[in-house]
Amino acid sequence: MPVLSSSFDPAADSAVENRRAAERRLDEIAALLEQLNAGGGLRYTERHRARGKLTARERIELLLDADGPFLELMPLIGWGTDHPLGGSIVCGIGVVEGVECVICANDPTVRGGTMNPYTMRKLLRAMEIARDNRLPLVNLVESGGADLSSQAELFVPGGAMFRNLTRLSAAGVPTIALVFGNSTAGGAYIPGMCDYTVFVDGGAKVFLGGPPLVKMATGEESEDEELGGAAMHSRTSGLSDYLAADEADALRIGREIVANLNVRKPGPPPAGRSDDPLYDSQDLLGVASADLRVPFDPREVLARVLDGSRYEEFKPLYGSALTTGWGTVHGYPVGVLANVRGVLFSEEAQKAAQFIQLANRRHVPLLFLHNTTGFMVGRDYEQGGIIKHGAHMINAVSNSTVPHIGLIVGASYGAAHYAMAGRAYAPRFLFSWPSAQSAVMGPQQLAGVLSIVARASAQGRGAVFDEEADARMRASVVAQIESEQSALANTARGYDDGIIDPRDTRTVLGLALSAVHSAPVRGADGFGVFRL
Ligand code: COA
């Protein structure tokens, strides 16, 4: 198989500048992750420990196989909002008794582990990942239920959390709840809907309504233990399957349950060689342009991600603003689609549609490296059928059934974001580099369009166009879009599965590819009608 060469010079001015910009962004992210790891802060964490309890992250660590990986998902959701960073829950994929599982742990040090709209988005996404990749879901529960201050945004859509749990069970994806503490009201249905439940003696308290609510509703006087204690649920109500002596015992029982699930990957295991790339992953910080208007060759990324830097490029002479080709990552075969120069023309769209069909015939997952400013506009391109050809690509990507893994390494704008399997196109995983930017179009273009529309409207009304107000509007729109399109702003809304350090790309893709192979990988039998 052909091997990629590299013309990247880490000492070049542009590479040094790119690296510095990437390091600045990574420092910002590292500070946020540090804040996240501190949970609800010192006061709440110390109080939690004084109660003899483990933190959410310690629970996860004890559940996982020693030295096994943990691919944390959506860690920075909620950034920049009034809600706590991270959605008061830790979610990720880790290996328990040799089985890859989705693990979600409420963080009880953050507002009593209560669920806000971002907790809901994260949990629903985690359930989606468990469903699509057929990974057992282990919930480490300690949550006061709904965050009552945001109940209006949470209550109605939040019902899907319980519906989806039972649908996972119906689909044969095992669901487990280890309950460490409070699991109140709606939260009580997390163990209620799981296949297996483990309650910690003296810790778990699971009730639809706690003593004050019961008093309010019926006048009955009651105490926590008789209303929802672990011993009561294990001996009387039957909601608990296993009574654990303490937290460590619950985690041990949880591991035993997973070990006995009889989960086997549908196989075959990765067949390819999984030798390291020929080029250093450290270079990746210098490869991505600090200024996204400057395109960079994604083959420099592929040369540092694919096994042995081997890449068999498909149709290299046609539609060269998009490279398509075959390679392997940690031995797993992938078909790659990567933007070379920002814009997608008709040729690129048609080449992509053909390539996606081929990957489906081969039953090979697809890797999308986004760095695109959108489909080309203009008279010649419209007359040449750019909409029709873009629709071919969107049709192919929408109906393709092999797993899609996306990585936004630069820009991802407009319909090209969709055509490259953007979030709404259900990629199995979507990660971003810190330099990523995603929006309907770039800030300058968007402000310019609004300005032209306003000018035409004023002309139509016969009004005088206020140039100064227009300049102010454009400046404010540019500032708004710049803040809304950043990797952080998008990850904050749950529009990706996390921002990754570019140097970790190969590892993250390897973990994601391993996860997708927990479900059968099968290509589509048919696509929608291609308008020819
Ligand atoms: N909604 C919004 N905020 C809540 C909350 C809820 N359901 N439950 C707790 N909080 C807040 C508390 O007001 C407190 O905020 P503060 O520190 O700024 O004053 C913080 O979370 C921690 O709560 P606290 O009660 O001190 O922690 P705890 O560990 O001792 O107890 C709970 C945690 C969850 C057991 C307890 O707070 C509780 O029972 N909450 C009500 C649960 C409930 O009825 N939920 C209804 C869901 S439909």
Side-chain angles (χ1 to χ4, degrees), residues 42-231:
L42 199 58
R43 179 175 146 223
Y44 291 97
T45 309
E46 279 181 350
R47 187 178 72 168
H48 187 68
R49 285 195 201 287
R51 292 169 172 169
K53 293 182 163 226
L54 298 166
T55 65
R57 287 175 190 277
E58 286 165 349
R59 287 170 183 162
I60 292 175
E61 208 170 313
L62 284 175
L63 181 73
L64 294 175
D65 292 353
D67 300 325
F70 183 62
L71 177 60
E72 189 162 347
L73 298 168
M74 307 172 89
L76 301 181
I77 196 166
W79 172 82
T81 70
D82 294 338
H83 295 287
L85 184 68
S88 74
I89 194 165
V90 184
C91 292
I93 296 176
V95 182
V96 180
E97 293 288 330
V99 178
E100 284 152 286
C101 298
V102 174
I103 299 159
C104 287
N106 301 115
D107 187 340
T109 67
V110 183
R111 296 174 73 79
T114 51
M115 296 187 256
N116 61 58
Y118 292 94
T119 324
M120 175 186 70
R121 278 190 210 184
K122 192 161 165 178
L123 200 46
L124 289 178
R125 172 65 183 150
M127 289 179 187
E128 206 170 83
I129 288 172
R131 180 196 64 199
D132 294 346
N133 302 293
R134 300 194 64 77
L135 302 173
L137 174 64
V138 186
N139 296 284
L140 309 184
V141 184
E142 181 160 12
S143 162
D147 181 331
L148 296 173
S149 58
S150 52
Q151 71 82 27
E153 296 159 84
L154 181 69
F155 170 61
V156 172
M161 290 188 274
F162 317 120
R163 176 174 189 261
N164 292 0
L165 260 183
T166 189
R167 287 171 69 85
L168 278 176
S169 175
V173 175
T175 53
I176 300 165
L178 311 184
V179 186
F180 297 90
N182 228 271
S183 184
T184 312
Y189 286 108
I190 299 276
M193 292 297 169
C194 280
D195 294 347
Y196 304 90
T197 58
V198 181
F199 283 27
V200 174
D201 201 10
K205 285 190 196 92
V206 183
F207 26 61
L208 280 189
L213 194 147
V214 172
K215 173 85 179 151
M216 286 282 294
T218 67
E220 186 183 77
E221 297 283 350
S222 53
E223 290 189 357
D224 279 0
E225 274 305 313
E226 57 178 348
L227 209 54

Side-chain angles (χ1 to χ4, degrees), residues 239-253:
L239 183 63
S240 159
D241 302 324
Y242 301 85
L243 180 64
D246 53 26
E247 298 207 1
D249 193 36
L251 292 158
R252 180 190 61 75
I253 297 171

